[in-house]
Amino acid sequence: MNKTTLKNGLVYYQSSLVEIDIVIEGSKIIKVGSNLEEGKIMDCTNKLIAPAFIEAHAHFREPGFEYKETIKTGSMAAAKGGYTKVMMMPNLNPAPDTLNKIKKMKEICQKDSLIECYPLATITKKRLGKTLVNFAILKDEVIGFSDDGSGIQNSKIIYDGLSKLKGAKSVMICHCEDLTLVNEGVIRESDYAKLHHHRPINPLSETLEAIRNMEIAYVLNTRIHLCHISSRYTVWAIQQFKKMGCKVSAEVTPHHLICTICDLENDGRFKMNPPLGDEEDQKALFNGVLDGTIDFIATDHAPHSVLEKSGGLDHSLFGIVGLETSFAAMYTYFVKTKKMPLELLLDLMSKKVSDCFPIKDSQIRVGNEASIVIIDLEQKFIVDSSEFLSKGKSSIFEGKTLYGVIEKTISKGEIVYEK
Ligand SMILES: [Zn+2]
């Protein structure tokens, strides 16, 4: 089998950054050490070599909305962002609520995806929030269940669903949003919303549903995961539930960590669900990441067509893209500014994700699959959405200068992206 040596790079290996070489044979890492030279040499001088990233929250829009994104274009965007594993959210048409539909999605992934894609099943039939899917049949076929895109208003659905997942490996993944408090709002309740006459979203809409779901998971002693946390009240609630021993994990997006309502412009690229919070939220989210209340970074990559994002804050659809800018944005705003160690960021985008789900890790070690990202940390670029491989072009970081260019992404020994 063909061998390749990644030579002279700075490698994130066993929780430290060390100058060592890596030999890959076929799909696997076969050696890690000094002065290795076997097969083809890939010179990685001045480059960072890290476990490839894992995305727990992306919308690849297929089946049903292929004009926004397909599994193929989504996987290309992911590979460009340094990801080799992606969990795909099920707000699709048809919604993946049966084994047959999940199998069909897996077939498309097999055929079209450059990387490993994991379809999630819905929690309820047709994602309508009313009747549970067949958990007994699906729980061994998917990593998790989610009605992402909407909160589940009916407490009994969460109770019954979590009861059925007791002891299972697959996880209930909750988008928390109490619709009575959302009240058809478009941005976070704020002076900005008042001043510019945008309908406000009460931040408790997220927190109250999160608290209800965590309470049920705690009582049933079942795993639960909370998506894209955006409000300080939710961070504080998770902190309390974790202290009590609730098996909850949570994610946050780069845009909620980096941007606030102070950054808002009346442009669709600032409209997402949940909406951007204020500086107090931002502070709590960041501290939550540092103290482990929030487990990892997820992008909530949610592409739409240019037309669908052209209606400003009031009329654009919710959702922005994120896979192609996530590492560079996090690196530029937090690591380069010395607010966060590089090692932590690398864990937040890979190891800590695989720790939360029944998914193989991408850690660099002998015997593991070679799923690796090679990054030039010194190189900068200006975010230009016309260069995105995603069909979605609505990025909150458009025009920003970011550091950290993904040079190559390797999935199971194969180069799936090369700059
Ligand atoms: Zn969501």
Side-chain angles (χ1 to χ4, degrees), residues 8-19:
N8 304 323
L10 182 66
V11 182
Y12 188 48
Y13 176 61
Q14 294 180 339
S15 305
S16 309
L17 292 161
V18 285
E19 282 175 20

Side-chain angles (χ1 to χ4, degrees), residues 149-218:
S150 330
I152 291 181
Q153 311 303 304
N154 181 334
S155 305
K156 190 171 183 314
I157 288 284
I158 298 289
Y159 189 92
D160 290 349
L162 282 173
S163 304
K164 287 177 196 287
L165 284 178
K166 209 170 157 55
K169 280 189 182 153
S170 52
V171 180
M172 186 181 282
I173 296 169
C174 297
H175 166 123
C176 297
E177 188 181 20
D178 179 327
L179 288 180
T180 60
L181 288 166
V182 173
N183 197 22
E184 295 174 9
V186 295
I187 59 168
R188 172 65 78 80
E189 195 173 85
S190 54
D191 290 343
Y192 182 97
K194 256 187 228 147
L195 188 66
H196 298 275
H197 309 289
H198 298 297
R199 281 186 80 108
I201 297 175
N202 185 327
L204 287 176
S205 60
E206 172 184 275
T207 311
L208 294 181
E209 192 165 315
I211 289 174
R212 178 201 65 183
N213 291 0
M214 286 190 285
E215 185 65 39
I216 296 172
Y218 175 68

Side-chain angles (χ1 to χ4, degrees), residues 57 148-149 175 228:
H57 196 128
D148 186 59
H175 166 123
H228 42 55

Side-chain angles (χ1 to χ4, degrees), residues 66-101:
E66 288 84 349
Y67 68 96
K68 298 176 196 260
E69 191 82 292
T70 61
I71 287 173
K72 185 174 185 177
T73 57
S75 80
M76 287 159 57
K80 188 178 173 190
Y83 293 85
T84 62
K85 296 185 177 90
V86 171
M87 290 159 62
M88 302 188 303
M89 286 294 153
N91 47 346
L92 301 164
N93 188 18
D97 54 4
T98 63
L99 185 56
N100 210 10
K101 288 174 194 158

Side-chain angles (χ1 to χ4, degrees), residues 34-45:
S34 301
N35 303 317
L36 299 175
E37 265 184 37
E38 294 184 32
K40 203 177 121 201
I41 305 297
M42 198 183 278
D43 181 30
C44 300
T45 305

